[in-house]
Amino acid sequence: MFAVSFWSYDMGQRMVKAYGQNGMNEEEKAAPYTLSMGEICVAGAFSAIPTTAIMAPSERIKCLLQVQATEVEKGGKARYSGMLDCAKNLLKEGGLASLYKGTGATLLRDIPGTVAYFGTYELTKRELMKIQGIDPNNGQLSLTAVLFAGGFAGMACWGIGIPADVLKSRLQTAPEGKYSGIYDVYKALIKEEGYAGLFRGMRPALIRAFPANAACFLGVEVAKNMLGFMD
């Protein structure tokens, strides 16, 4: 998932850079081009599309298996023997549409989430470089600073994405026909639990997000430095 997300973000950066350089001569194009925060956010938003195309089916399967595990703990009977069996049953019951149920809700979570994710990371990096007096064009942040920026980015992503994630999970695990769409899930949730229901699971998500994404961005930065010759 992360590999696809960061690859998509890189492609998004290339696209907005190409658009920004449109009309420039060769000498201007050869000069260093620094993406604006707006361009970074656009690239981040783009990264959600390929990632969701791959993730949506696995998210649907994961949610169903998690609900099944809870039911089994309470003495219920398992309907699926595993991920593959779950996928086969979904395809049999409703075809690809069933497997991709909740894709719109996933995009509702991931587009603003990745804007916050990459936008926060790049903004934090730039501010830390200013504080440390590092040239953003050729300087390198310390590993500690990268860890901080990555962890903060992960928290920003989930802070924005949790409400949509709650709605997505409910839509994907609901019996067929229970909800007409994501807005119907929203109305039912607010009626039953109030607005606090939209933020269920926020605390553990934020606690998990910092170390996980700190390590993720550190790995990405190290890999970019080691494999930069392939670009």
Side-chain angles (χ1 to χ4, degrees), residues 21-32:
Q21 290 180 324
N22 187 36
M24 291 185 181
N25 58 40
E26 292 304 317
E27 183 178 348
E28 290 173 326
K29 288 182 179 180

Side-chain angles (χ1 to χ4, degrees), residues 33-56:
Y33 185 91
T34 302
L35 296 177
S36 68
M37 286 308 303
E39 290 172 325
I40 286 169
C41 289
V42 170
F46 171 80
S47 73
I49 299 171
T51 306
T52 298
I54 295 171
M55 271 180 51

Side-chain angles (χ1 to χ4, degrees), residues 119-134:
T120 299
Y121 179 67
E122 297 293 349
L123 180 61
T124 305
K125 275 180 61 179
R126 291 182 183 187
E127 292 304 314
L128 289 173
M129 284 182 169
K130 287 180 183 178
I131 293 170
Q132 297 179 19
I134 299 172

Side-chain angles (χ1 to χ4, degrees), residues 29-152:
K29 288 182 179 180
Y33 185 91
T34 302
L35 296 177
S36 68
M37 286 308 303
E39 290 172 325
I40 286 169
C41 289
V42 170
F46 171 80
S47 73
I49 299 171
T51 306
T52 298
I54 295 171
M55 271 180 51
S58 62
E59 286 267 343
R60 165 99 154 116
I61 293 167
K62 180 197 74 173
C63 289
L64 287 171
L65 291 179
Q66 285 176 334
V67 170
Q68 175 179 276
T70 302
E71 291 175 351
V72 169
E73 286 179 0
K74 295 177 180 178
K77 186 177 179 181
R79 183 180 180 187
Y80 311 112
S81 60
M83 290 187 67
L84 187 59
D85 185 51
C86 183
K88 286 166 60 179
N89 275 276
L90 289 174
L91 286 170
K92 184 178 179 180
E93 292 169 4
L96 281 175
S98 179
L99 197 58
Y100 276 87
K101 181 181 179 181
T103 298
T106 304
L107 284 171
L108 187 65
R109 177 196 69 184
D110 288 354
I111 289 178
T114 50
V115 167
Y117 191 54
F118 292 111
T120 299
Y121 179 67
E122 297 293 349
L123 180 61
T124 305
K125 275 180 61 179
R126 291 182 183 187
E127 292 304 314
L128 289 173
M129 284 182 169
K130 287 180 183 178
I131 293 170
Q132 297 179 19
I134 299 172
D135 182 355
N137 291 321
N138 51 35
Q140 292 290 331
L141 277 173
S142 66
L143 296 183
T144 303
V146 171
L147 286 169
F148 176 78
F152 195 44

